[in-house]
């Protein structure tokens, strides 16, 4: 096995070092959370804030080391998210280190200074990118080929999350946040940055929930730990936003507690051992889950739209946040709908392509590509129905329909002497010669085994018997099988349709051609016999 893997065991999609390191890290994380709780309870506010910031820095360094350290030996699909989340944790550690130095110097640290807030928004982008790179597949288990590409489902997840988040935010603004802002009157720049951070945090939360609900992760343990860690980090951002809305800009020890927990969960996610689900493990989604996936973003948007309409109907004006927010949500919904239309168009094209493939497979022989017995019977019935019968003007249409039955002689000997691959090759050669020697109006079919049949549908001087004679000579030309020259032989029988015989059916006509073929086989191998009633 490549890479020294043990046969019968699948490589872990989580920790490359095994479960022992994960469990030790879990014990260490539990002790660190207990220490953070004790420090926040027992110490005075200022020392507790310094201690919690230092613990936060330790947890962020541990998360970065775990992500980067496991990248090299992780599976190929697990490396990208580790690099992004590791960069996210390392960037946080750098910002926290600067905060630790500032606190140790005796300076005060505020929760949402403008540069720090913009940095946190960039951190959310790294976390979101890492989350989207986590290996997942559709909930129905189509792992070999998805109907939409990775970039498209990433866009769908982000757009759905943005629609839900924007709707929730407008609802939150109209019910409580607007009143708090007007009553407390915080600094406008800090408030705007806080709102941007709140929106990005909510998008991260919605993305975690939608991936957990509508995608199937390759490692459920990793998604659970990583998603929980990112949710805890988003919770910290929400705490800062509400503190800012109430006019409080100082960082407290308890406000940093979710960040410590989030970094420890991310560390465990990078070290978690898990056996990925096999490609045959499929979960078929129910209709309720599919409808929920399709309607959830638009349901939230509908609620906000109804609230805005009710407010306008009551004569209340819309502020800028509500107006611009509603327009932005409508644009996002339009983009989402365009992606859905493109996806449905691609799905319809694939369905039509598959229908064409199934139709072709249902009426053609898979080895030679010729028509099979079902298509042969259908076309023979159509050809016989088009021939003028008694009482009809047959002078206008000079048309003859005949059936040629072909059987390769000594075919079993070819399989025994050269092998079945050579026998299949002889069938392909014979099929190609029959196809090359007939016209576009004729139908060549493989009925089964080494038996072929041809519908000779002609009008003009090239009569069916003359075509049959050419095919007889073409079939018995020398060919090369398994590196040796082989001269095939075939017995052929041909019968022409008699328009005056009302009782003639397609099966009867094929049976007559079969009788002529057996007469040719009895008479001499490699000959052609025209059916006569005496047979």
């Amino acid at each position: 096995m490549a890479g020294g893997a043990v046969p019968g065991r699948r490589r872990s999609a989580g920790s490359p070092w095994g479960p022992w390191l994960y469990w030790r890290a879990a014990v260490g994380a539990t002790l660190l959370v207990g220490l953070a709780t004790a420090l926040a309870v027992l110490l005075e506010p200022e020392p507790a804030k310094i201690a919690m910031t230092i613990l936060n820095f330790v947890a962020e360094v541990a998360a970065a080391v775990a992500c980067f350290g496991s990248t090299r030996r992780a599976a190929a699909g697990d490396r990208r998210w580790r690099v992004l989340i590791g960069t996210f944790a390392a960037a946080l550690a750098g910002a926290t280190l600067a905060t630790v130095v500032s606190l140790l110097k005796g300076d005060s640290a505020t929760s949402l200074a403008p540069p720090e807030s913009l940095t946190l928004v960039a951190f959310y982008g790294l976390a979101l990118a890492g989350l989207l790179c986590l290996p997942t597949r559709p909930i129905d288990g189509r792992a070999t080929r998805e109907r939409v590409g990775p970039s498209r489902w990433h866009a769908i997840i982000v757009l759905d999350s943005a629609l839900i988040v924007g709707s929730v935010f407008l609802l939150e603004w109209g019910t409580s946040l607007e009143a708090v802002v007007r009553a407390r009157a915080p600094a406008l720049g800090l408030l705007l940055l806080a709102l941007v951070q709140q929106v990005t945090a909510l998008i991260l939360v919605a993305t975690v929930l939608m991936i957990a609900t509508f995608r199937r992760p390759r490692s459920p343990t990793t998604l659970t730990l990583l998603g929980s860690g990112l949710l805890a980090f988003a919770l910290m951002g929400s705490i800062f936003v509400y503190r800012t809305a109430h006019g409080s800009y100082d960082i407290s020890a308890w406000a940093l507690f979710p960040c410590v927990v989030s970094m420890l969960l991310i560390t465990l996610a990078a070290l978690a051992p898990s056996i990925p689900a096999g490609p045959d493990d499929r979960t078929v989604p129910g209709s309720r889950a599919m409808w929920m996936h399709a309607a959830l973003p638009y349901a939230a948007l509908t609620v906000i739209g109804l609230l805005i309409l009710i407010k306008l109907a009551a004569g209340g004006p819309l502020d800028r946040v509500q107006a611009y927010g509603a327009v932005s949500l409508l644009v996002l919904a339009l983009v989402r709908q365009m992606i859905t239309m493109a996806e449905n168009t691609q799905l319809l094209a694939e369905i039509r392509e598959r229908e064409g493939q199934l139709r072709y497979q249902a009426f053609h022989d898979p080895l030679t590509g010729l028509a099979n017995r079902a298509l042969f019977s259908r076309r023979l019935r159509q050809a016989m129905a088009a021939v003028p019968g008694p009482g009809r003007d047959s002078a206008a249409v000079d048309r003859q329909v005949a059936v040629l039955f072909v059987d390769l002689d000594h075919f079993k000997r070819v399989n025994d002497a050269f092998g079945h691959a050579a026998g299949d090759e002889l069938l392909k050669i014979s099929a190609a010669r029959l196809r090359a020697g007939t016209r576009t109006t004729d139908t060549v079919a493989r009925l089964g085994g080494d038996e072929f049949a041809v519908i000779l549908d002609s009008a003009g001087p090239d009569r069916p018997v003359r075509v049959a004679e050419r095919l007889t000579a073409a079939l018995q030309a020398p060919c090369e099988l398994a590196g040796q020259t082989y001269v095939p032989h075939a017995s052929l029988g041909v019968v022409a349709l008699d328009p005056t015989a009302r009782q003639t059916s397609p099966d009867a006509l094929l049976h007559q051609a079969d009788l002529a073929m057996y007469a040719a086989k009895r008479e001499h191998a490699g000959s052609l016999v025209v059916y006569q009633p005496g047979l």
Side-chain angles (χ1 to χ4, degrees):
M1 299 292 292
V6 179
R9 294 183 61 186
R10 289 178 290 188
R11 184 180 179 182
S12 172
S15 171
W17 298 289
W20 62 271
L21 182 59
Y22 168 74
W23 291 113
R24 292 187 181 183
V27 173
T30 303
L31 294 176
L32 195 60
V33 170
L35 178 61
T37 305
L39 292 176
V41 172
L42 299 177
L43 296 180
E44 295 296 328
E46 192 64 23
K49 179 170 60 176
I50 297 176
M52 190 69 72
T53 306
I54 294 175
L55 288 180
N56 186 23
F57 172 72
V58 172
E60 290 165 350
V61 171
V65 171
C67 290
F68 288 132
S70 60
T71 298
R72 180 180 177 185
R73 299 177 61 184
D78 288 319
R79 294 173 185 168
R80 185 176 301 176
W81 76 264
R82 294 174 188 271
V83 172
L84 290 170
I85 297 298
T87 306
F88 162 70
L92 284 177
T96 305
L97 180 60
T99 303
V100 170
V101 174
S102 177
L103 290 174
L104 292 178
K105 289 181 178 181
D107 299 332
S108 62
T110 57
S111 63
L112 281 174
E116 297 173 357
S117 299
L118 291 177
T119 304
L120 284 177
V121 172
F123 292 166
Y124 283 124
L126 282 174
L128 180 61
L131 182 65
L132 293 176
C133 289
L134 192 70
T136 60
R137 58 184 175 181
I139 198 171
D140 55 358
R142 291 173 296 179
T144 55
R145 182 179 181 269
E146 296 192 20
R147 179 165 48 88
V148 295
S151 59
R152 186 175 297 180
W153 83 258
H154 287 168
I156 291 174
I157 289 290
V158 172
L159 284 174
D160 288 347
S161 302
L163 284 172
I164 296 174
V165 167
S167 303
V168 172
F169 174 75
L170 286 183
L171 179 62
E172 194 176 58
W173 176 267
T175 55
S176 61
L177 194 56
E178 181 184 7
V180 170
V181 169
R182 289 181 177 178
R184 300 291 180 178
L188 181 60
L190 291 177
L191 177 62
L192 292 178
L193 290 174
L195 295 180
V196 171
Q197 184 183 0
Q198 174 75 339
V199 170
T200 53
L202 288 176
I203 290 177
L204 184 61
V205 171
T207 303
V208 171
L209 296 179
M210 294 193 69
I211 290 179
T213 304
F214 302 115
R215 301 285 297 184
R216 181 170 182 169
R218 192 168 67 180
S219 175
T221 304
T222 302
L223 177 61
T224 301
L225 293 171
L226 181 61
S228 300
L230 296 179
L231 289 177
F233 183 78
L235 175 62
M236 180 194 69
S238 298
I239 293 174
F240 288 167
V241 168
Y242 279 98
R243 289 175 63 86
T244 302
H246 286 78
S248 176
Y249 307 122
D250 190 31
I251 296 177
S252 65
W254 285 111
L256 290 172
F257 188 81
C259 190
V260 175
V261 174
S262 69
M263 292 299 107
L264 294 177
L265 289 173
I266 291 173
T267 302
L268 295 179
L271 300 177
S274 60
I275 299 177
D280 295 332
D281 300 336
R282 296 173 182 263
T283 302
V284 179
S287 58
R288 181 179 300 178
M290 297 177 66
W291 275 107
M292 184 183 299
H293 188 192
L296 184 58
Y298 301 103
L301 182 61
T302 302
V303 172
I304 295 302
L306 291 176
L307 292 178
I308 291 177
L309 290 178
I310 291 174
K311 186 174 182 179
L312 291 176
L318 296 179
D319 58 20
R320 292 184 178 182
V321 174
Q322 291 176 325
Y324 291 150
V327 173
S328 300
L329 290 179
L330 289 177
V331 172
L332 290 177
L334 179 61
V335 174
R336 176 66 175 90
Q337 193 62 29
M338 292 176 63
I339 294 178
T340 302
M341 292 178 61
E343 182 180 345
N344 292 338
T345 301
Q346 182 179 355
L347 176 61
L348 181 60
E350 290 182 0
I351 291 176
R352 290 178 177 175
E353 180 181 355
R354 291 175 184 176
E355 287 180 349
Q357 292 175 353
L358 291 175
R359 190 180 300 109
Y360 181 86
Q361 293 172 2
F363 293 105
H364 290 81
D365 175 59
L367 178 64
T368 61
L370 299 178
N372 59 10
R373 183 182 289 271
L375 183 57
F376 176 84
S377 300
R378 173 187 294 184
R379 291 188 177 177
L380 180 57
R381 188 177 298 108
Q382 294 173 352
M384 294 176 64
V387 174
R392 297 172 60 185
D393 185 11
S394 59
V397 181
D398 185 14
R399 184 175 184 181
Q400 284 190 342
V401 173
V403 174
L404 177 66
F405 200 101
V406 182
D407 183 85
L408 301 181
D409 297 323
H410 314 304
F411 182 72
K412 186 176 181 304
R413 297 180 187 176
V414 174
N415 286 331
D416 295 340
F418 300 103
H420 289 278
D424 292 343
E425 186 64 24
L426 179 59
L427 292 175
K428 294 178 183 178
I429 293 174
S430 301
R433 290 175 174 179
L434 288 173
R435 189 186 290 113
T438 52
R439 300 146 300 185
T440 56
T441 56
D442 301 330
T443 299
V444 183
R446 181 189 176 200
L447 302 183
D450 59 339
E451 295 181 344
F452 298 88
V454 183
I455 302 175
L456 301 174
D457 192 354
S458 64
D462 202 7
R463 294 304 180 182
V465 175
R466 191 176 305 172
V467 177
E469 291 174 349
R470 291 203 307 266
L471 293 177
T472 303
L475 284 172
Q476 301 178 95
C479 63
E480 184 174 340
L481 289 180
Q484 302 182 30
T485 301
Y486 177 76
V487 180
H489 295 279
S491 298
L492 298 89
V494 62
V495 57
L497 174 65
D498 184 5
T500 62
R502 295 177 178 271
Q503 71 278 9
T504 302
S505 64
D507 292 337
L509 196 65
L510 183 62
H511 178 63
Q512 292 173 355
D514 188 28
L515 291 177
M517 182 273 298
Y518 275 107
K521 193 175 289 288
R522 290 192 302 268
E523 180 179 317
H524 183 267
S527 61
L528 170 67
V529 171
V530 180
Y531 175 79
Q532 300 295 333
L535 293 176

